[in-house]
Amino acid sequence: MSTGPRRMQLANGLIRLRLRAGLTQEQVGQRADYGKSTVSRYEDWRNPAGIRARTARSLAEACGATPAEAETLARLAEDTTEVWQVDGAVPSWLNPLVSLEHNARYEDAFAPSCVPGLLQTRAYALAIHQAEDVRRPAKAVERAVDARMQRQQVLRRDSPLQLRTVLDQAVFQRVVGNSAVMAEQIGHLIEQAAQPNIDIQILPFTSGAAAAGLGHFVTLVGADASLTSVYAELLGGGLYLDAPEDVDRYRSAFEGLRGHALSTAESLKIMMTTRKEYGDG
């Protein structure tokens, strides 16, 4: 049965489906042949009671979920895999990372090759998505970019996500899109670095092997310790880890990267200089 971050994601998915259908908990219970109290219990991720895949599928179908959506929630309930593959047949809010960020209080992110999604401009995000799959339909790319822009709202909510990020210096040397896109993106990073809830540090090439073997990863911490989780990026999806030993290993790795990185003030100077080098494209 699903626990921790997966249990939270499952509960949020059921809530979103119910609200989308305009149904009350009682109405969902009647459609799925369950009581209102049962629906309420399953929508509360903090409740220690588990949820079976069959029950998750029934509740989802009672809300008019598509087969892909119902299967997604059933898979979360089964908790048989840590790997999440991006599926265009399900809405972006069923992606665990989106839900984890929505519920997290703190996020640490290491980016070795490109700007993290939460800090991307629309033009930069568009170029990234187009490069990932040149055969992907334009409308699908636009939807993916829209979802990424919407995801950034966690940085501007009433109690904003506290974001610390370490960017490898290669991020600023790799031209995504063109020079104009890069100039705009770096300008955006400079603006975001001025926000009280965002810290940006650059890991210089002179740090040597500090980042060797590390790919893009994110650690998330919520108000409840059970929400602590790790997301490691993979081609076409991501790996989600919540075992304490895995989380501790990644959190230690991030602190090590911060120790090798330039200070926020020094990083800001480099970003300002690099922004001028790209000019107006």
Side-chain angles (χ1 to χ4, degrees), residues 44-59:
D44 181 4
W45 71 269
R46 296 175 180 83
N47 193 296
I51 179 171
R52 298 181 180 279
R54 181 176 58 187
T55 306
R57 185 178 286 105
S58 296
L59 293 176

Side-chain angles (χ1 to χ4, degrees), residues 110 164-170 172 199-208 210 254-274:
F110 171 59
R164 299 188 305 176
T165 183
V166 174
L167 309 179
D168 193 279
Q169 190 172 351
F172 299 91
D199 284 346
I200 299 176
Q201 292 178 257
I202 295 176
L203 185 70
F205 291 133
T206 54
S207 65
F254 185 78
E255 292 303 327
L257 290 167
R258 289 189 71 222
H260 284 89
L262 301 174
S263 68
T264 54
E266 293 172 318
S267 298
L268 180 60
K269 291 179 181 178
I270 287 183
M271 287 190 286
M272 294 177 70
T273 299
T274 307

Side-chain angles (χ1 to χ4, degrees), residues 24-220:
T24 65
Q25 291 180 337
E26 184 175 6
Q27 289 171 323
V28 173
Q30 291 174 345
R31 290 187 176 194
D33 199 24
Y34 292 108
K36 176 184 175 182
S37 61
T38 299
V39 178
S40 178
R41 186 167 65 251
Y42 288 158
E43 288 187 359
D44 181 4
W45 71 269
R46 296 175 180 83
N47 193 296
I51 179 171
R52 298 181 180 279
R54 181 176 58 187
T55 306
R57 185 178 286 105
S58 296
L59 293 176
E61 291 173 345
C63 295
T66 65
E69 291 170 343
E71 179 58 30
T72 295
L73 292 183
R75 180 155 59 95
L76 283 168
E78 289 172 344
D79 194 17
T80 57
T81 178
E82 294 174 324
V83 179
W84 182 273
Q85 296 296 325
V86 175
D87 186 350
V90 299
S92 62
W93 48 263
L94 274 178
N95 185 317
L97 180 59
V98 175
S99 191
L100 285 168
E101 286 179 336
H102 179 76
N103 288 275
R105 180 174 294 179
Y106 305 100
E107 176 172 325
D108 293 335
F110 171 59
S113 59
C114 66
V115 175
L118 287 179
L119 297 174
Q120 292 178 4
T121 63
R122 186 175 187 86
Y124 189 96
L126 179 62
I128 289 289
H129 280 289
Q130 289 175 330
E132 286 178 347
D133 187 352
V134 295
R135 297 169 297 180
R136 197 175 186 183
K139 289 185 178 180
V141 171
E142 286 292 339
R143 286 196 299 271
V145 173
D146 288 342
R148 181 156 297 182
M149 296 300 100
Q150 181 63 33
R151 179 181 151 210
Q152 296 176 1
Q153 292 299 315
V154 295
L155 296 174
R156 297 183 287 274
R157 64 194 183 194
D158 290 339
S159 296
L161 180 72
Q162 303 294 311
L163 175 65
R164 299 188 305 176
T165 183
V166 174
L167 309 179
D168 193 279
Q169 190 172 351
V171 170
F172 299 91
Q173 303 302 315
R174 178 170 290 103
V175 180
V176 173
N178 54 42
S179 294
V181 170
M182 290 299 296
E184 179 189 34
Q185 176 61 72
I186 297 173
H188 180 66
L189 288 174
I190 293 171
E191 293 175 358
Q192 293 302 295
Q195 301 304 311
N197 61 311
I198 299 174
D199 284 346
I200 299 176
Q201 292 178 257
I202 295 176
L203 185 70
F205 291 133
T206 54
S207 65
L214 292 177
H216 185 122
F217 70 86
V218 170
T219 64
L220 303 108

